[in-house]
Amino acid sequence: MTMSEDTSSWSSERESQASKLIQKSKESPFVPIGMTGFAAIVGLGLYKLRTRGNTKMSVHLIHTRVAAQACVVGAVTFGVLYSMYKEYVVKPRETNPSK
């Protein structure tokens, strides 16, 4: 096996994972929203770490963790509610147009 064969298998594996991520994002758009919100809150928490004042570091980190978890849980909740809406409200209307 040569080095070029090695890198081609890696690139095809990365492309397939990227395409899987894009496909999953289209199926449930709230997952990447939750991931982005999580990354933004953690980045903001790290940025504010320098200017936290008299607040203990442990308290600052706990607040950042709770905010990041709330963002992810909120995105998952909205995703579930959206899928339930599509499943139980939109789909019955499409199958029974007489109502």
Side-chain angles (χ1 to χ4, degrees), residues 32-83:
I33 292 171
M35 291 169 47
T36 304
F38 175 82
I41 290 172
V42 168
L44 182 65
L46 289 174
Y47 176 75
K48 287 189 169 189
L49 190 62
R50 294 183 292 158
T51 60
R52 68 181 189 275
N54 293 334
T55 307
K56 289 184 178 182
M57 179 168 307
S58 62
V59 172
H60 176 74
L61 292 175
I62 288 171
H63 288 169
T64 304
R65 178 185 62 86
V66 168
Q69 283 180 330
C71 181
V72 171
V73 169
V76 169
T77 302
F78 282 123
V80 168
L81 291 174
Y82 178 70
S83 67

Side-chain angles (χ1 to χ4, degrees), residues 8-22:
S8 66
S9 67
W10 287 347
S11 64
S12 66
E13 185 177 309
R14 278 189 245 145
E15 289 173 359
S16 66
Q17 287 193 2
S19 64
K20 286 180 186 178
L21 180 63
I22 291 170

Side-chain angles (χ1 to χ4, degrees), residues 85-99:
Y85 171 76
K86 284 186 353 184
E87 178 90 19
Y88 296 111
V89 176
V90 175
K91 193 183 260 188
R93 288 182 187 168
E94 292 174 354
T95 59
N96 191 3
S98 63
K99 285 188 176 182

